[in-house]
Amino acid sequence: QVQLQESGPGLVKPSETLSLTCTVSGYSISRGYYWGWIRRPPGKGLEWIGSVYHSGNTYDNPSLKSRVTISVDTSKNQFSLNLNSVTAADTATYYCAGHLTGLIDYWGQGTLVTVSS
Amino acid sequence: EIVMTQSPATLSVSPGERATLSCRASQSVSSNLAWYQHKPGQAPRLLIYGASTRATGIPARFSGSGSGTEFTLTISSLQSEDSAVYYCQQYNNWPPITFGQGTRLEIK
């Protein structure tokens, strides 16, 4: 059974970098799949942030204006999100996810990140 | 980018009745359309993929239809636990992966 678990700070100051890690269990991420991040701001809908292929190729949402870095660490079976220059608009529940096509097959439980001084 | 538009934004239906949720794509996504149910504090749950195929363990009262640009999720015989936000998502042409803005389903 594939399970994903997000970890990272729940509070980030404005203009700083939001950093989250997703640990995958039950599947070796080096075998394949895309691994990505999706968020849901309070009162809003789901927004895809970006994904990384097991080889390291990345794809991100142009709406985030190149503030996103997603990387994979196959030795730890983890992948990570860095979102720089955050503002209050980046306050959201962040989900890590796994997908083979664009259909999301696996979701983490989500972690709330608040941007505030 | 393919824009997904859902309607209505909020739907209030009595238990035992039927709910019909709509999703429109700004261009054809063929049948590469999924529906998710999202409850507070939980991960989104895949209900339907391929526009009309129920995911594993999803009750038969959930059904999906449509292709191209127009899609429908129907929930027959509503139960209290069906209260949630429902999202459609296209996976025909990515990146980016795009979701609708969601329909909040309230059970009266």
Side-chain angles (χ1 to χ4, degrees), chain B residues 52-102:
Chain B
S52 61
T53 302
R54 277 189 301 277
T56 302
I58 302 303
R61 66 176 186 277
F62 291 90
S63 63
S65 64
S67 66
T69 62
E70 301 284 343
F71 301 88
T72 300
L73 174 69
T74 302
I75 312 171
S76 61
S77 191
L78 275 167
Q79 301 182 8
S80 58
E81 62 261 33
D82 297 332
S83 178
V85 179
Y86 292 81
Y87 294 96
C88 62
Q89 178 232 328
Q90 70 83 20
Y91 54 97
N92 187 65
N93 187 6
W94 76 280
I97 293 171
T98 51
F99 296 87
Q101 77 276 26

Side-chain angles (χ1 to χ4, degrees), chain B residues 23-41:
Chain B
C23 176
R24 173 177 291 178
S26 61
Q27 63 189 76
S28 176
V29 298
S30 186
S31 294
N32 295 311
L33 188 285
W35 290 94
Y36 297 88
Q37 177 191 66
H38 195 194
K39 296 182 178 180

Side-chain angles (χ1 to χ4, degrees), chain A residues 16-17 19 33 52 54 58 62 66 68 84-85 93 96 114:
Chain A
E16 295 191 346
T17 296
S19 297
Y33 257 69
V52 58
H54 68 99
T58 58
S66 301
V68 173
N84 60 38
S85 304
T93 298
C96 60
T114 301

